[in-house]
Amino acid sequence: MKKEIQLVGLISAMLFANTLRADDFHNIQLHGEADFRYLHTDSDSQNNTDFSKFWEGGANRDLFRVNEAALTLQGRINWSWTGSITAKYGYDAKNPVDISEAVLLFKPVSTSPWRVNARLGSFFAPISLENTGIAWTSPYTLTSSAINSWVGEELKTFGGEATVAYHFENGDHADFFGAGFGNNDTAGTLLAFRGWRLHDYEATILDGFKLPNQAHIQSIFTKQALTTQPFVEVDGRAGYYTGFNLERPDGLKFRALYYDNMANPTIVENGQYGWHTRFGSAGLKIVLPFELTFIEQSMLGNTQMGGLVGKHAAVDVNFWAHSFLLSKKIIDGHRFSVRYDIFGTHKNDELVQNPNAENSSAWTVNYNWMLLKHHQLNFEVTTTTSNVTMRSLQNINPTQNETLWQMGYRVFF
Amino acid sequence: MQNQNKLFFLVLLVFSVNVSALTLSGTVTTTEGEPVFEAVITAVGTVKNKPVLSKAPRKMDQRHREFVSHILAIHVGESVVFPNSDNIQHHIYSFSPTNSFEIQLYKDIVPKPIVFDKSGVVVLGCNIHDWMVGYVYVTDAPYFTQTDAKGAWSLNLPADDYTLTLWYPHLDSTNNVQVQQIKLNTENPASIEQKVTLKTTARTGKPPAEDSQNPLY
């Protein structure tokens, strides 16, 4: 925790100091977003204490709330360096206000086809092809896909990423990237102990999530805390990801990434186990005629925690997900999007007390209207059918249908 | 007698204008009938005329985070100035083998013009705004013009046999050109309708619409 605070402090100080020095760059910019929602759901969700696919539900079937508010301070330090830091308020977050991203970007100009650039700080790995807006919002939907919901919850890079790119004269480019990071040793906890979830909450650096009560986790793993902290370093061993991105601007994007947090699954520190999580992720975005955009994302991985029980780690779960989004710009400012998500987990381990397996799917339909460039009205419905074997611990049918209706007003500045 | 002389002179003048400068015109549209804006038309005749170079630099502005013009045709040896009409910095560069350079564009400061002394297509980008793209078409042809918003163009040329080249960065053909031969004389004044097929995806150089909610751009 101390490390994160130091890192953020350091970045902020560098950003501030350099900006004061660089007389020619007065363009420190403050931007932000506020998100007001009305939500209605038939879900029995008890926040994070059960295996529902949404956060909302149970006693609170109708909610009106300030969902999120974020501020981003962006500054150009010189012609090659920029920095940005995002602080946000999230409804029901562990900390009312916290940092979600703090990054320094090094991007020198190149007069050759080869270019290098680098990012340093805490930032999202390049997985989502949908969350391209300010404070990781999506121009297409309120609710993120299963993959991007999980990325928002449990993945963040605390470290450095370098990219080498080859640019063709027609604008096409091929980028090869690699990153080393720490503080992501618990990634995978929520997928194994709770399952996938659909939302648009992205965790902040000091965040924590309660684990489902019904999973009786502490009766099996006595050292595991009831709250998982997504961004802690447990074993002192760095993780990495590497991948490539092929892009035709305004037309086509294909990205593939392999992630391994290299965590030692037998170490537990302050109630947080190391979860050895590895996955491959691939995404494709195609801009089609008639103002249509198609985005596909896939993820396939495995997470392990604890010592060997029989042939496997105490918890050994494969996870997988695919999403298919089709979005159409109707007329200026109006957009209609449909996404299908299919996702699940498969249990490899032999621990009968923890039957973590899932087969689920979801449809999300969104219509949004951007007014005067800064205001966005959203109407959205997400409906999901999920089969989660852990629901047998709640003595309910493992197969559940849940629907979430949302009206969202977002203002960007 | 004096009047007759005047008339004779006038006839001669009209005749000489006709033989020395014929108007060749045309329009460039897509096969769907949409006009193609800023396409470059060059004409090379059998007589090797030297182009008349502009002494004043040509201009390619940065406005609303776009290159304006998106495409600029110039003669080899001419210079281009890159002012910045936005209230933010731009950092333009080219890695085209014929002319590679970078210029840091502060607001309100007009940098020194860049001389383009080799023919070819120079693709420009901005290191701060990745979507920005501009083209400087540097030609050694003696005559060139660009299409207007209606896709129309015209050239005043002496009678000759010409190789006409149409270049547009988004043309769906080898090297983005379409070439045709034309015989231009008083009996054969020409107006050319050119129908072109464009690539299905092309970089517009405009800020991405879906990121309109993202003021960080």
Side-chain angles (χ1 to χ4, degrees), chain B residues 9-30:
Chain B
F9 180 69
L10 202 64
V11 169
L12 194 71
L13 188 71
V14 170
F15 183 67
S16 68
V17 165
N18 273 345
V19 290
S20 66
L22 298 162
T23 299
L24 180 63
S25 62
T27 53
V28 183
T29 53
T30 64

Side-chain angles (χ1 to χ4, degrees), chain A residues 38-45 56-63 404-405:
Chain A
Y38 168 71
L39 304 101
H40 171 80
T41 179
D42 62 1
S43 170
D44 291 323
S45 176
E56 301 78 17
N60 299 310
R61 293 188 188 278
D62 288 280
L63 294 156
L404 173 67
W405 297 86

Side-chain angles (χ1 to χ4, degrees), chain A residues 24-25 27 31 76 79 107 109-111 115 132 137 139-140 167 169 171 250 285 329 370 376 412-413, chain B residues 89-91 93 95-97 101-102 104-106 123 127-128 130 203-204 209-211 213-216:
Chain A
D24 296 313
F25 291 90
N27 51 358
H31 294 294
R76 176 161 286 278
W79 290 102
K107 191 182 166 206
V109 75
S110 168
T111 53
R115 290 182 207 178
T132 55
T137 51
Y140 311 108
H167 283 245
E169 278 215 55
D250 302 343
K285 177 180 175 180
K329 225 162 88 183
M370 199 81 197
Q376 192 192 50
F412 300 92
F413 66 89
Chain B
Q89 285 95 357
H90 289 289
H91 193 176
Y93 66 88
F95 63 90
S96 298
F101 62 90
E102 61 151 318
Q104 298 170 345
L105 293 180
Y106 296 88
V123 186
N127 196 46
I128 297 172
D130 284 336
R203 294 179 69 193
T204 60
E210 69 190 38
D211 290 316
Q213 70 179 60
N214 193 341
L216 293 183

Side-chain angles (χ1 to χ4, degrees), chain A residues 7 11 102-104 118-123 156-162 178-183 239 241:
Chain A
L7 179 70
I11 290 171
V103 63
L104 281 173
R119 293 196 285 175
L120 201 65
S122 78
F123 49 88
K156 213 181 292 274
T157 307
F158 289 82
E161 177 198 72
F181 58 84
N183 294 50
Y241 63 77

Side-chain angles (χ1 to χ4, degrees), chain A residues 99-131:
Chain A
I99 305 296
S100 63
E101 281 190 278
V103 63
L104 281 173
L105 175 66
F106 174 61
K107 191 182 166 206
V109 75
S110 168
T111 53
S112 97
W114 290 98
R115 290 182 207 178
V116 291
N117 61 65
R119 293 196 285 175
L120 201 65
S122 78
F123 49 88
F124 288 102
I127 295 170
S128 173
L129 293 180
E130 297 182 23
N131 300 71

